[in-house]
Amino acid sequence: MADRGATPMLTVALILVILTFAPCSGASVKIGVPENYDGIFPWYLAKLHSLPVNYSDLVVTGDDEGIFGIDAQFLYALKPLDREKQPSYSLQVSFRTSVQRQSFTVEVCVIDKNDNVPTFIEESMRGSVQLGLLKGIPFMQVEALDRDDRNTAHAELRFSLMEQTPRIPSSQMFFIDSITGEVSLTEEGASTLDPEMCGRYKLSVMVKDMAGKANAFFTTGIVTVEVTGNTWASPDPVRLQENLPGPYPIPISQVKWSGSQAEYSLEGEFPEMLFTISREGVIYLNAPLDRETQDQFQISIVVERPDGREIAKPVELRVMVGDANDNRPTFPQAQYHTVVKELAARGTEILTVQAADNDDPKTDNVRIFYRLVGQIPESPRALFRVDRDSGVISVQADSMEGTAPQYTLTITAEDAKGLNSSCTVVVTVHDENNNPPVFSQHEYGPFHIPENAPVGTTVTAVLAGDADVRGGDSWQVDYRLESGNEEEVFTLVTDKQTNEVSLILSKVLDFERESEYILVLSAQNPVALVRGRYGPASTATVSIYVDDVNEGPILSQSHYEVTVREGEEPGRVIATIRGYDPDSHPIRHVQALDREENSTYTMEVIAVDGRNSSLSASTLVTVQILDVNDNSPVLVGDYSWKYLCTPRWEDQALVLASRDSDGPQHGGRLNFSLRSDATVRRNWKLTPINDTHTNLSLNIQYLAPEVYTVPFTISDSSSPPRSTFINLPVTVCPCNVRGNCKMAAKQLQGMPTIQSAVGILLGTFAFIGTILIVVFVRLSYQNPKRPSKTNQERVPLKISI
């Protein structure tokens, strides 16, 4: 419609609906217009902006029905729009300028209103449900349609189940999915559905638009559901012979789901692809079975929808495998070892061998017979036998005495079919202790040994022979000194390889004290005699004479240890070194001892024979200086440059270190404690770190910036303790984000300035230097210095005996 070039006075209603607007030149304008307008016409939709000032001949095209027009830059409609008939219009607006004719596109989109009622696609909705269907598995779907815009809530449909007829055996047998319209059984329905009780149900269903809101349009319909039986059940058990010749695959059973389309699968403990199932439900065996590997199979058959959802509970197929005599009896081990005593009586059982047959134990295929087929060495024969049925091996000879020490037997196991295997049994003839050890003579010696013979000297070696098998417990000999060795001067050492026993000197001899030893030596086996007894031949006498030797002095100890408290007065006797006869020579210390200077002193004491100076003895004396609590703990370190931040920083503290020169008995753990003052204990806190260190920190959140004196005591762990009282200057200042002090703290009252402290220090150094010069000059004129303490300690102390 052409523009008349002027804007008349309008008496009609003006309604503008503008969604987006773009410049006219070559651009598009999009306008959203609701359908089914029932107001006054013409219906002004939008004003077209940005037209040139001087334009003419404004025309709209693209409207075959003559619905749209333009009046004074306003786009209008002459009748209502219907989205279901035409959802959009594309209009061309053109105009002439002084230069040329131009145009742009106006897109009119019809906005949907909810003006359509949803309807069911089918008037007669029917479905069938199969007996055995699981709950929640859809057996049919109700479908509906709404002509409104499906991208809006106007066409968003919701389904609901209004009523079920009849209401048996439960009023809630079915369920409809509100979004998809799929109909399925409830838990009650799946468990109680019975076609004999009720074979048909009618369901009243409703479909609503607007996502089921209260102001939605709706339609109702009737769904008829037929209840049908089902052939879905566990098939009969199958019995298959092992090692079937084929050809494979062999069909062995079949199942079928009589309802909707279904897919089958097998589950169970069997090798992959041993059993398979076709789309028709036929179950196949694909390879020979071995009963000894697995004698039966429990196969679960699963039925599912094409989307993988299980339709019904799985059914079970039991496959039993029949036995064929295809296994030879075998022994659990190829070789056995056993022992028989040499005095074993006829009929003594020495071992039972048992073979196993993997065939079916319920058949005669597993009956086994045993035979003794070989013996090495072969002579003497008939020493052993094996029971045909039980596999018990026993002694057949009257006695095993005098036989070989070991025999190897071959035993076979055979089943009724003649399948067999063998094993070997190694029988060791165990020597029994039926022969006592005897000495070759009743008396040995006399043997001479000097009194100065060193400990460990071998006096003699003797042997008691044993007729039992060499190397066994019956042949081994235990020797014992029955008498003459009450002071344990001698000891016995036995060579287990030869049974020879050596008589060894284990203590120092003294001719003056004992010049002769008569020893009674006995020999016995470590195991009991089973025949015979120990007689006089198992006992011998050994005579030993001690020869006199001129011996040197002997000190009572090779090393002495002495303890003395530090600080004892010089001249006090702290130890006495004693020999057999010499005089006693006390040791004296020559100066007061200080454990902190040296805690241990070691000296050598030499004793010389009075008649022969070449004979001497020496011993070491170690003096341990016992610690005395004579040192107080002290504070260690310089804390003048350290500070604490205020307000208090978490985990910030001054680490205070202390030391005690005493040993751990008195020093030990050092205890820090604040002075018993309410203000001090409110502002400060001491937290121990270890035995010698503690943390000093603020105990309150804020303390004014200043240099504070923190009074505390350090005490050692002795009883009674020694203590040191400390007044520690501590700087408290505000800090930046890095924890650095931002300003100099206020000087502690009464503390010297840096200049005065430097002056005092220099004056003190000058005074001390003058004193040291005078001392060194006087020392240079004194007598030559005596041997040092270190040299004196290196001179050994000597005494004569």
Side-chain angles (χ1 to χ4, degrees):
M1 181 177 287
D3 181 16
R4 295 196 176 113
T7 305
M9 296 296 292
L10 302 178
T11 59
V12 296
L14 180 63
I15 300 176
L16 301 180
V17 181
I18 301 176
L19 293 183
T20 59
F21 185 81
C24 294
S25 180
S28 295
V29 176
K30 291 187 178 180
I31 301 174
V33 180
E35 67 173 334
N36 302 330
Y37 174 68
D38 58 355
I40 301 173
F41 291 93
W43 178 23
Y44 287 88
L45 305 179
K47 182 178 181 180
L48 304 178
H49 296 280
S50 301
L51 286 171
V53 177
N54 297 319
Y55 72 90
S56 63
D57 196 15
L58 186 62
V59 178
V60 60
T61 60
D63 174 18
D64 296 336
E65 300 181 20
I67 299 176
F68 300 96
I70 294 180
D71 184 9
Q73 299 187 21
F74 284 93
L75 179 67
Y76 62 84
L78 297 175
K79 64 178 182 178
L81 305 180
D82 185 358
R83 193 203 66 83
E84 286 71 40
K85 180 180 180 182
Q86 186 169 347
S88 65
Y89 298 86
S90 179
L91 307 177
Q92 293 293 322
V93 178
S94 62
F95 57 91
R96 184 180 299 279
T97 64
S98 58
V99 179
Q100 62 182 356
R101 190 168 189 83
Q102 299 181 9
S103 66
F104 59 88
T105 302
V106 176
E107 295 287 341
V108 179
C109 299
V110 183
I111 300 173
D112 184 51
K113 283 189 176 181
N114 190 17
D115 56 350
N116 291 280
V117 178
T119 60
F120 290 105
I121 294 178
E122 298 179 1
E123 289 187 13
S124 177
M125 296 177 284
R126 306 184 69 86
S128 63
V129 59
Q130 296 77 36
L131 191 65
L133 188 70
L134 295 176
K135 72 167 185 175
I137 301 299
F139 59 85
M140 68 172 295
Q141 185 176 17
V142 176
E143 296 180 292
L145 179 67
D146 193 306
R147 296 181 62 229
D148 288 321
D149 188 353
R150 66 179 57 191
N151 295 321
T152 67
H154 302 155
E156 189 173 349
L157 305 182
R158 294 292 185 268
F159 299 90
S160 60
L161 180 59
M162 306 293 293
E163 188 178 4
Q164 165 197 313
T165 305
R167 303 166 66 88
I168 58 172
S170 168
S171 62
Q172 296 179 348
M173 299 286 288
F174 301 93
F175 170 79
I176 187 168
D177 189 287
S178 63
I179 297 176
T180 64
E182 292 179 327
V183 183
S184 60
L185 290 172
T186 63
E187 187 168 358
E188 285 185 271
S191 60
T192 61
L193 190 68
D194 185 354
E196 296 183 0
M197 179 179 296
C198 181
R200 177 181 297 171
Y201 292 90
K202 288 188 178 294
L203 309 179
S204 176
V205 296
M206 175 187 290
V207 60
K208 284 185 177 183
D209 61 12
M210 297 299 290
K213 293 183 179 178
N215 60 346
F217 292 123
F218 66 89
T219 299
T220 60
I222 299 297
V223 177
T224 302
V225 178
E226 301 286 345
V227 181
T228 63
N230 204 314
T231 59
W232 186 248
S234 295
D236 294 333
V238 175
R239 185 175 184 87
L240 301 174
Q241 191 73 10
E242 66 175 332
N243 303 322
L244 288 175
Y248 292 90
I250 300 173
I252 61 174
S253 187
Q254 184 173 9
V255 294
K256 183 172 179 57
W257 172 258
S258 60
S260 57
Q261 184 180 1
E263 295 180 355
Y264 306 101
S265 61
L266 303 179
E267 296 179 353
E269 296 294 330
F270 54 85
E272 186 177 3
M273 299 302 295
L274 180 61
F275 299 98
T276 55
I277 187 169
S278 68
R279 297 176 63 88
E280 294 76 25
V282 179
I283 301 171
Y284 293 93
L285 172 67
N286 297 310
L289 300 175
D290 182 8
R291 193 205 66 82
E292 288 70 43
T293 301
Q294 191 168 346
D295 62 356
Q296 65 175 337
F297 299 88
Q298 198 73 22
I299 303 174
S300 295
I301 308 169
V302 180
V303 58
E304 297 174 331
R305 297 195 336 165
D307 61 3
R309 296 179 66 184
E310 195 171 352
I311 296 175
K313 293 181 179 180
V315 294
E316 301 293 327
L317 171 63
R318 184 184 178 194
V319 177
M320 295 168 290
V321 184
D323 183 48
N325 192 0
D326 57 347
N327 290 279
R328 67 181 66 250
T330 58
F331 291 97
Q333 56 194 77
Q335 189 175 80
Y336 296 83
H337 292 266
T338 188
V339 175
V340 60
K341 296 181 179 180
E342 66 172 329
L343 301 180
R346 181 186 180 93
T348 301
E349 295 181 2
I350 59 175
L351 181 68
T352 299
V353 291
Q354 290 286 324
D357 193 310
N358 288 329
D359 289 322
D360 189 351
K362 298 176 182 178
T363 67
D364 288 339
N365 297 336
V366 297
R367 188 176 180 187
I368 300 172
F369 305 97
Y370 300 93
R371 287 189 301 124
L372 175 61
V373 297
Q375 170 187 302
I376 299 175
E378 295 182 355
S379 179
R381 295 181 178 276
L383 287 177
F384 306 96
R385 67 176 299 273
V386 61
D387 186 81
R388 181 174 180 269
D389 297 315
S390 66
V392 174
I393 302 173
S394 59
V395 176
Q396 185 168 307
D398 293 329
S399 173
M400 297 295 295
E401 286 188 275
T403 59
Q406 191 175 82
Y407 291 89
T408 301
L409 310 180
T410 301
I411 309 294
T412 63
E414 186 174 299
D415 65 11
K417 190 178 179 179
L419 300 175
N420 64 78
S421 63
S422 62
C423 71
T424 58
V425 178
V426 178
V427 182
T428 299
V429 181
H430 178 70
D431 178 49
E432 293 194 88
N433 192 16
N434 54 346
N435 295 286
V438 295
F439 289 100
S440 59
Q441 57 193 76
H442 295 295
E443 295 184 1
Y444 295 88
F447 301 100
H448 289 266
I449 182 170
E451 66 172 329
N452 62 352
V455 172
T457 299
T458 300
V459 179
T460 186
V462 297
L463 174 67
D466 195 297
D468 290 314
V469 176
R470 183 183 180 90
D473 291 342
S474 301
W475 173 82
Q476 295 286 346
V477 179
D478 287 343
Y479 297 93
R480 189 170 60 182
L481 290 173
E482 300 292 344
S483 64
N485 192 40
E486 287 73 13
E487 296 184 2
E488 299 181 350
V489 177
F490 304 95
T491 188
L492 299 175
V493 176
T494 304
D495 185 342
K496 296 298 182 181
Q497 302 300 320
T498 64
N499 266 348
E500 185 179 66
V501 63
S502 296
L503 185 64
I504 307 296
L505 182 65
S506 61
K507 288 186 178 180
V508 175
L509 297 173
D510 186 354
F511 174 80
E512 289 74 20
R513 183 175 180 183
E514 193 72 44
S515 61
E516 181 182 4
Y517 293 91
I518 305 298
L519 307 178
V520 176
L521 180 64
S522 67
Q524 294 186 5
N525 299 120
V527 296
L529 281 171
V530 297
R531 189 169 62 188
R533 61 185 182 84
Y534 296 105
S538 299
T539 304
T541 301
V542 180
S543 301
I544 301 171
Y545 292 158
V546 180
D547 296 334
D548 185 25
V549 176
N550 184 18
E551 53 198 319
I554 299 176
L555 297 177
S556 59
Q557 295 178 218
S558 62
H559 181 253
Y560 293 81
E561 288 192 3
V562 180
T563 57
V564 60
R565 293 171 59 90
E566 65 173 325
E568 291 287 357
E569 292 298 326
R572 179 179 174 274
V573 176
I574 61 172
T576 300
I577 311 303
R578 297 186 183 277
Y580 280 170
D581 295 323
D583 298 330
S584 298
H585 292 266
I587 300 174
R588 303 177 184 273
H589 54 76
V590 296
Q591 65 180 30
L593 302 176
D594 185 359
R595 192 203 66 84
E596 285 68 41
E597 180 179 346
N598 195 350
S599 62
T600 303
Y601 295 84
T602 302
M603 60 198 73
E604 183 183 22
V605 176
I606 300 175
V608 181
D609 187 86
R611 293 179 295 172
N612 187 351
S613 60
S614 64
L615 300 177
S616 64
S618 64
T619 186
L620 292 178
V621 180
T622 300
V623 180
Q624 302 285 348
I625 308 303
L626 298 179
D627 185 33
V628 175
N629 191 15
D630 55 352
N631 291 279
S632 296
V634 295
L635 186 67
V636 180
D638 179 14
Y639 305 93
S640 61
W641 56 276
K642 297 186 179 180
Y643 57 87
L644 292 174
C645 294
T646 183
R648 183 183 66 193
W649 281 42
E650 292 297 329
D651 300 329
Q652 186 194 25
L654 300 184
V655 179
L656 305 182
S658 60
R659 184 181 67 239
D660 193 313
S661 298
D662 291 318
Q665 177 184 359
H666 300 295
R669 182 178 181 86
L670 302 181
N671 302 308
F672 291 73
S673 59
L674 292 168
R675 191 178 68 190
S676 299
D677 181 275
T679 302
V680 172
R681 292 182 178 268
R682 181 198 65 192
N683 294 345
W684 307 96
K685 180 172 68 173
L686 290 172
T687 305
I689 301 175
N690 53 34
D691 287 352
T692 58
H693 291 69
T694 193
N695 278 332
L696 173 63
S697 59
L698 293 179
N699 197 35
I700 57 176
Q701 186 62 30
Y702 177 81
L703 198 61
E706 195 173 330
V707 178
Y708 292 86
T709 298
V710 181
F712 60 88
T713 300
I714 308 175
S715 304
D716 61 22
S717 56
S718 183
S719 180
R722 292 182 68 97
S723 303
T724 301
F725 183 76
I726 305 293
N727 278 319
L728 179 66
V730 177
T731 299
V732 177
C733 62
C735 300
N736 60 20
V737 294
R738 295 185 179 88
N740 298 324
C741 188
K742 296 196 296 183
M743 58 179 289
K746 182 178 177 183
Q747 185 179 354
L748 183 64
Q749 204 167 21
M751 293 293 288
T753 64
I754 296 177
Q755 294 81 357
S756 62
V758 171
I760 294 171
L761 186 60
L762 291 175
T764 302
F765 285 162
F767 178 74
I768 294 173
T770 303
I771 294 176
L772 290 175
I773 291 171
V774 173
V775 171
F776 288 148
V777 170
R778 289 180 61 86
L779 288 175
S780 64
Y781 289 99
Q782 292 180 353
N783 294 330
K785 58 184 179 180
R786 299 177 181 177
S788 66
K789 173 185 174 184
T790 304
N791 291 336
Q792 291 176 356
E793 291 176 350
R794 296 173 61 89
V795 177
L797 302 178
K798 297 186 177 180
I799 59 175
S800 296
I801 298 179

